[in-house]
Amino acid sequence: MHPETFPDTFCITVKIMRVYYAIVSQPLNDFDFKRYLKQMPSAIQQKIARYKNWEDAHTSLIGKLLLIQALQDSGLQETDLSVLTYNKYGRPSVPGIMDFNISHSETLAVCAIAANGSIGIDAEALKPINKTDFYNCWTPAEAKAIYHDPEDYKTFYGYWTKKEAVVKAIGNGLNIPLTDIEIKGDLATVAHYGNWHVKEIPLSEKYIVHMAAKEPYKAPVEVIQKEF
């Protein structure tokens, strides 16, 4: 299906922001993995094949399946991810339809969609990490909060996922230094890009997930869990 064949009324069916997610507790069986993989364009198949461990390969694939489900739930019955377009930084989008963003970490895959404006989402497993390796990513106030307690990893991942979600929403790849993003509560101020609104999406106590959008959240974000 080509972009011009999407129905004219499709955009109006995406009224609110949604987050689709799946937790993959064990690998898909070989039959299902190959069956789902065949639904993907060759470029996506090749990218998935490059992953070294099953968690990354399977959650990457399932992230795309969540996007297909989101498109179908929004009124498009026939979906073909070959219609995805990519900006010069590699950020994908569905032209003229809606914006989306996908993240995966360990066994969690998430896909956020929005009808208007750019959306970004980032998920990270909550686990110990050497926080000193990331000291140059923070403003002085952020660093004070993050390094106050050496055993507090939730604060670190909270700031990290907020910043990553904003970077992904803007869509400029790694061209925005994380120190150019100042986090104050649920507001992110980005040099040259203004203010962005971040929101935590509580999915599991094992993960930290934040979403970022340009406009304030005027309605609750609908969260939908899927199983594969």
Side-chain angles (χ1 to χ4, degrees):
M1 180 179 290
H2 297 288
E4 61 268 21
T5 64
F6 286 120
D8 293 336
T9 59
F10 177 72
C11 286
I12 66 173
T13 65
V14 188
K15 292 293 188 181
I16 59 177
M17 295 179 180
R18 295 193 184 118
V19 172
Y20 291 76
Y21 78 101
I23 296 176
V24 188
S25 57
Q26 59 186 8
L28 298 169
N29 65 61
D30 190 58
F31 175 82
D32 285 338
F33 182 81
K34 291 179 179 178
R35 175 169 62 92
Y36 290 139
L37 192 63
K38 287 181 179 179
Q39 299 178 29
M40 304 297 148
S42 59
I44 292 178
Q45 292 186 34
Q46 292 169 12
K47 182 177 180 180
I48 291 172
R50 288 195 291 268
Y51 285 115
K52 301 300 183 182
N53 60 61
W54 76 263
E55 290 95 341
D56 286 335
H58 288 232
T59 54
S60 178
L61 174 59
I62 286 174
K64 305 304 187 297
L65 295 175
L66 292 174
L67 173 58
I68 291 174
Q69 185 67 61
L71 289 167
Q72 292 174 344
D73 288 352
S74 300
L76 190 63
Q77 297 305 313
E78 297 295 331
T79 54
D80 179 357
L81 295 189
S82 64
V83 302
L84 296 182
T85 62
Y86 298 83
N87 69 10
K88 64 180 181 180
Y89 302 103
R91 187 186 192 278
S93 62
V94 185
I97 304 297
M98 65 183 186
D99 195 41
F100 74 92
N101 200 233
I102 295 172
S103 182
H104 59 91
S105 178
E106 294 194 351
T107 60
L108 173 68
V110 293
C111 175
I113 65 167
N116 299 307
S118 297
I119 195 78
I121 194 164
D122 191 61
E124 295 290 343
L126 185 56
K127 60 184 179 182
I129 192 172
N130 187 354
K131 297 189 291 184
T132 59
D133 290 343
F134 301 86
Y135 194 83
N136 293 329
C137 297
W138 321 112
T139 67
E142 293 165 356
K144 183 178 180 180
I146 290 168
Y147 296 102
H148 174 71
D149 180 355
E151 301 302 318
D152 174 19
Y153 300 104
K154 188 173 183 178
T155 301
F156 168 87
Y157 285 113
Y159 278 103
W160 180 266
T161 53
K162 287 178 181 181
K163 293 197 177 200
E164 285 292 298
V166 170
V167 168
K168 293 174 72 178
I170 294 172
N172 283 6
L174 301 176
N175 291 286
I176 302 175
L178 292 185
T179 50
D180 282 0
I181 305 173
E182 182 179 20
I183 303 294
K184 290 185 176 180
D186 291 332
L187 185 68
T189 302
V190 188
H192 309 297
Y193 294 95
N195 292 333
W196 292 75
H197 299 268
V198 293
K199 184 179 182 65
E200 184 173 5
I201 307 297
L203 303 179
S204 166
E205 62 182 13
K206 297 180 180 180
Y207 296 92
I208 302 291
V209 182
H210 277 96
M211 188 167 69
K214 188 63 176 172
E215 300 299 325
Y217 301 94
K218 297 180 179 180
V221 176
E222 185 178 359
V223 177
I224 301 170
Q225 183 176 11
K226 307 298 291 187
E227 295 183 0
F228 297 92

